[in-house]
Amino acid sequence: IGVARCGATNGRDLVLTLCLEPTFFNKLPPVIQSRHIPVRAVMFSQGINEMQSIANSMGSYGIQDDINNQSIRHLENYFTTYKAWHLSQSKRSGQDGMPTVSFVEGLEERLKRLRRIVTDATGSGKKSIEVLTESAAFVREINGCRFTSCKSAKDRTGMSVTLEQTRILTDHHSLDDEVTAERSTMLMRLHGTRLETCYKNINKHQYAFNSFQLSMLPKEYRPPAAAAGKVAS
């Protein structure tokens, strides 16, 4: 992997070079083999632990608000291009356009909802977890590449990933019962692969939350009691 600044934009953009075996590279479309692939990157941030509770009480959340407001603007600008491309592809394929128009209109409503969530969260000093859940759901719907991480990339990340997995089951696989959805989330946290990540880090199949930290987490991000323990991270 190589990283360099792009001379064409006076160093404002980065060029990331990934090396592939010829077998895999030759499977890429020729147009991708011979040019740069532009990537539009955005980041949404929302602290959920006890440190965020302290920051909120002190009014120290301005940077987080700035990040989210900048990212929603970038996402709205990108969606304008995405919408035009999506509609043009529908016309080119000879479809009547109605399914595509309906799909795009649905995305527009989701983006407007995300904008309202970010706007309402700005300056509120509250843990608005919908900033995380709705931005993740929207990016996934437009086939964006998604990453989730906290400081250690295992405990809070594990809670977020399992919550998103349940959201996918709900949105796309008919898991429409709230009790079953919550139970599914807890089962994935207790028996899923996220505990293996913890084991690789601390040699224990436990999330590193003590009782105080658990009390500060939003309920959607709390693990089963059997999987939480006061361990060194």
Side-chain angles (χ1 to χ4, degrees):
I1 299 177
V3 180
R5 293 198 175 275
C6 179
T9 60
N10 294 322
R12 292 194 305 272
D13 297 328
L14 296 177
V15 177
L16 180 66
T17 303
L18 302 176
C19 295
L20 294 176
E21 294 287 341
T23 303
F24 297 107
F25 182 80
N26 292 333
K27 292 181 180 180
L28 296 174
V31 67
I32 294 180
Q33 293 183 19
S34 58
R35 54 168 288 185
H36 290 151
I37 304 172
V39 176
R40 188 74 62 89
V42 297
M43 180 179 73
F44 288 92
S45 175
Q46 176 57 65
I48 61 172
N49 66 355
E50 72 283 358
M51 298 307 295
Q52 186 63 49
S53 297
I54 295 172
N56 287 347
S57 67
M58 299 177 64
S60 301
Y61 40 77
I63 294 178
Q64 182 171 262
D65 287 348
D66 290 344
I67 289 172
N68 293 336
N69 278 284
Q70 185 181 73
S71 291
I72 189 64
R73 288 195 298 271
H74 286 324
L75 196 56
E76 287 168 338
N77 290 337
Y78 173 79
F79 182 72
T80 299
T81 304
Y82 174 89
K83 175 183 175 180
W85 174 84
H86 212 287
L87 294 175
S88 68
Q89 290 297 109
S90 175
K91 293 178 181 179
R92 185 177 300 176
S93 64
Q95 299 176 3
D96 59 14
M98 289 306 297
T100 299
V101 170
S102 178
F103 173 72
V104 170
E105 288 178 346
L107 288 176
E108 284 181 320
E109 289 304 312
R110 296 189 78 156
L111 185 57
K112 289 178 182 178
R113 170 173 163 75
L114 178 57
R115 159 58 78 177
R116 289 194 297 270
I117 290 169
V118 171
T119 299
D120 291 345
T122 301
S124 70
K126 297 179 180 179
K127 296 178 183 178
S128 179
I129 65 171
E130 285 187 310
V131 170
L132 301 177
T133 58
E134 293 305 314
S135 61
F138 180 80
V139 170
R140 185 175 289 277
E141 285 299 310
I142 60 174
N143 294 322
C145 183
R146 281 262 304 100
F147 296 92
T148 298
S149 187
C150 61
K151 181 180 178 181
S152 67
K154 60 181 183 65
D155 302 307
R156 284 164 290 165
T157 298
M159 302 302 100
S160 182
V161 168
T162 48
L163 187 64
E164 185 172 352
Q165 288 171 172
T166 300
R167 174 71 176 266
I168 294 169
L169 291 175
T170 301
D171 288 350
H172 301 289
H173 301 282
S174 304
L175 184 65
D176 54 3
D177 179 76
E178 185 175 342
V179 174
T180 304
E182 184 177 350
R183 187 177 301 165
S184 299
T185 304
M186 290 302 182
L187 284 173
M188 285 187 282
R189 290 171 179 173
L190 188 59
H191 301 290
T193 58
R194 305 312 305 183
L195 282 177
E196 291 301 319
T197 303
C198 295
Y199 181 79
K200 291 178 180 179
N201 186 276
I202 60 174
N203 292 321
K204 290 184 179 180
H205 289 91
Q206 280 189 319
Y207 302 108
F209 297 122
N210 58 40
S211 58
F212 173 70
Q213 290 171 324
L214 286 173
S215 69
M216 293 291 102
L217 291 173
K219 64 182 181 63
E220 294 88 348
Y221 290 85
R222 296 174 187 170
K230 187 179 180 181
V231 292
S233 178

